[in-house]
Amino acid sequence: MKNTQAQLQNQKGFTLVEIAIVLVIIGLLLGGVLKGQELIENSKVKSVTADFDNIAAAYWAYRDRKGVYPGTTNAAFWYNLRTEGFLTGDPATSTTATGSEHALEGVFEYVPAAATNMIPNKAMICASNIEDTIATNIDTKLDDGVATTGTVRGGTADVSTAAAYTATGAAFILCKELK
């Protein structure tokens, strides 16, 4: 019995200082991971924002070079811009109904001017599958941050209906007017 008591008295546990140091290290690691995820998300937002601007620039450069606007359909639009070298990619793959993929795991689409567009009578570039909070961020960078006004608008259903951003994680279609 004496031997067991002696063994219990010789055992040491962790001190409060040691536990506190471990908790601080864990906190720093978690903070670093969360900051890293934020940086990745911000780079994707910057990429999509730049893509909107680059596609618009390609649209106008094509107009300047050829004297006409590129394509009257989604497939023809991408084909024309790629054939002239304004956008990267194989023109042969541009004959499908979708445009280029973007960093937020959606695709760009060209929408010809129509009275039923969310920006009436304006040709638009639209990006699908953008979370509403990110859509708000992109809209703020490019325009006024309001889904139903300005040259950048967003909607949940299709390219004909603008809807307010909800901050619920809903997928939005974000469209930018091609002036």
Side-chain angles (χ1 to χ4, degrees):
M1 176 111 179
K2 238 181 183 185
N3 194 17
T4 306
Q5 239 177 1
Q7 282 180 341
L8 288 176
Q9 288 176 351
N10 288 335
Q11 288 184 349
K12 294 183 178 181
F14 292 108
T15 65
L16 285 175
V17 173
E18 292 170 330
I19 292 172
I21 290 171
V22 168
L23 290 175
V24 167
I25 291 171
I26 291 171
L28 290 172
L29 289 173
L30 287 175
V33 168
L34 293 175
K35 188 63 176 174
Q37 288 175 335
E38 181 183 332
L39 290 172
I40 291 169
E41 193 68 34
N42 286 341
S43 71
K44 288 180 180 180
V45 168
K46 284 181 183 179
S47 174
V48 173
T49 302
D51 287 347
F52 269 117
D53 289 338
N54 292 339
I55 294 167
Y59 175 82
W60 288 108
Y62 183 93
R63 170 72 170 90
D64 287 345
R65 181 183 291 174
K66 302 294 268 183
V68 295
Y69 293 106
T72 56
T73 66
N74 188 42
F77 177 84
W78 301 108
Y79 179 80
N80 290 157
L81 291 180
R82 287 186 175 131
T83 300
E84 289 298 315
F86 292 115
L87 296 178
T88 60
D90 181 8
T93 63
S94 302
T95 58
T96 62
T98 61
S100 302
E101 291 183 4
H102 60 71
L104 297 170
E105 299 178 8
V107 293
F108 282 102
E109 176 184 1
Y110 168 73
V111 179
T116 57
N117 287 352
M118 66 174 79
I119 306 173
N121 301 313
K122 299 288 183 177
M124 307 180 299
I125 292 297
C126 299
S128 64
N129 197 36
I130 297 181
E131 186 180 314
D132 56 358
T133 53
I134 295 171
T136 304
N137 190 354
I138 294 171
D139 192 341
T140 301
K141 288 180 190 293
L142 295 174
D143 193 29
D144 60 2
V146 180
T148 56
T149 63
T151 60
V152 176
R153 299 188 187 181
T156 56
D158 56 38
V159 297
S160 66
T161 308
Y165 302 124
T166 59
T168 60
F172 262 68
I173 299 167
L174 195 63
C175 296
K176 181 180 185 211
E177 172 185 327
L178 293 170
K179 293 183 181 183

